[in-house]
Amino acid sequence: MTNWRVAVETRGPDPAGRAVPQTVIGHAYDVDAGEAAHPITQGTYLVRADHEWTTGFLGWERCEECTKKIGRRPTN
Ligand SMILES: [Zn+2]
């Protein structure tokens, strides 16, 4: 049983320095394996192991790719 938690990705200002709206996205993160459900390459992310993927969302935008892979319901 995979222990999916949340990794919060912050997409900061783009490299050109333009002011872009900051988006905060919650990805699924497997804390036991120490890896995200898919590579997160567009920004930096912070693992929030205290927040469960299925229930622990606090207003972050839920990653579509993770949702497709894992779903949103508890798996156990
Ligand atoms: Zn994701």
Side-chain angles (χ1 to χ4, degrees):
M1 187 58 60
T2 305
N3 189 13
W4 292 111
R5 298 299 164 117
V6 177
V8 180
E9 178 187 2
T10 302
R11 293 182 181 172
D14 72 24
R18 288 184 292 263
V20 292
Q22 192 175 72
T23 307
V24 180
I25 299 175
H27 295 273
Y29 188 87
D30 181 348
V31 290
D32 294 331
E35 58 188 25
H38 61 84
I40 300 172
T41 56
Q42 288 187 275
T44 55
Y45 68 93
L46 178 70
V47 177
R48 298 292 300 269
D50 52 331
H51 292 280
E52 293 183 22
W53 166 252
T54 50
T55 59
F57 263 66
L58 296 177
W60 303 311
E61 194 172 311
R62 198 181 286 265
C63 171
E64 282 183 27
E65 189 172 345
C66 290
T67 303
K68 279 182 200 161
K69 281 191 169 187
I70 296 153
R72 296 176 59 158
R73 281 177 298 229
T75 50
N76 48 358

